[in-house]
Amino acid sequence: MKKSILGVLKWIILLMLAIVMLVPFFWLISSSLKDKTQFYSNPPVYFPIPMHFENFVNAWVNIGFFRAILNSLVFALTFTIIVVFSSALAAYGFSRFKFPGKKVLFVILLLSMMLPTQIMTIPLFLMFKKTEYDQYYITNALTILFRGSISYFF
C-alpha cells in the first residue's frame, strides 16, 4: 500500500514538473499566433482565435530573421573552430612541455575560469565604445574571442 502511494506521488510530482516546463513553450507558441490586440490584452488570451500564421512570414520577410540566423551561424561556426584550435594548442602545451612558471600560468587559467563572463564583456564593450568601433562585426568578434579566451582552453 505504501509503495503504491509513493508511486502515485512520484507521478504527480513528475506531472507537475512537466507542466511547469511546458507552460513557457505553450506561451511562446500561443503568443506567436496572436495579433497585436490579443498579445497586449488584459486578461491574457491563451488560445488565439483566429490564429495568425502570417506572423511567421512577417518575421522571415519584414524583420530580417533569416539574416539574424545567418549572422548567428557564421559567428558560432567561426568561433567554435577558433576556440577548438586554440584550446587544443594550449592543452598540448600544458600537457607536454615543462617550462618555468607553468604552475603559475595554470593557476591563473583556473582562476580565470571562475570569473563570470560579464566581468570581461562589459569592460571590453566600454573599451570598444571609446574607439568608436562598437557597431562593426569585428568588434563583436574580438569581444567574443577576448572575453573568456583563457577559459576556453578547457
Side-chain angles (χ1 to χ4, degrees):
M1 182 70 168
K2 188 176 180 181
K3 222 176 198 181
S4 65
I5 292 174
L6 287 176
V8 170
L9 186 63
K10 177 179 78 170
W11 281 104
I12 290 173
I13 291 172
L14 287 174
L15 182 65
M16 289 171 50
L17 287 173
I19 290 171
V20 166
M21 292 182 189
L22 289 175
V23 165
F25 184 71
F26 165 75
W27 188 257
L28 172 88
I29 298 299
S30 173
S31 295
S32 70
L33 296 172
K34 296 176 185 177
D35 63 359
K36 286 184 182 180
T37 57
Q38 290 175 337
F39 188 81
Y40 292 111
S41 69
N42 191 11
V45 176
Y46 297 110
F47 299 101
I49 298 174
M51 294 184 182
H52 295 276
F53 289 99
E54 66 270 9
N55 292 344
F56 295 106
V57 175
N58 289 337
W60 278 97
V61 176
N62 298 334
I63 299 175
F65 196 68
F66 180 74
R67 181 64 183 176
I69 288 177
L70 185 64
N71 286 347
S72 298
L73 187 66
V74 166
F75 273 102
L77 289 176
T78 302
F79 296 116
T80 299
I81 291 169
I82 291 171
V83 166
V84 167
F85 181 72
S86 65
S87 299
L89 287 176
Y92 185 81
F94 272 117
S95 67
R96 299 290 183 207
F97 298 118
K98 294 180 182 179
F99 54 90
K102 176 181 174 180
K103 289 184 179 183
V104 173
L105 281 176
F106 194 72
V107 168
I108 291 171
L109 173 78
L110 291 177
L111 289 174
S112 71
M113 290 172 65
M114 295 177 199
L115 294 175
T117 305
Q118 293 82 356
I119 288 180
M120 287 302 295
T121 303
I122 294 170
L124 281 170
F125 172 76
L126 293 174
M127 181 181 73
F128 286 125
K129 184 86 171 159
K130 285 182 183 176
T131 61
E132 298 178 5
Y133 286 109
D134 60 325
Q135 297 297 320
Y136 297 103
Y137 287 122
I138 191 67
T139 307
N140 290 333
L142 292 174
T143 304
I144 289 169
L145 284 176
F146 291 146
R147 74 172 175 206
S149 60
I150 293 174
S151 64
Y152 288 150
F153 288 148
F154 293 102

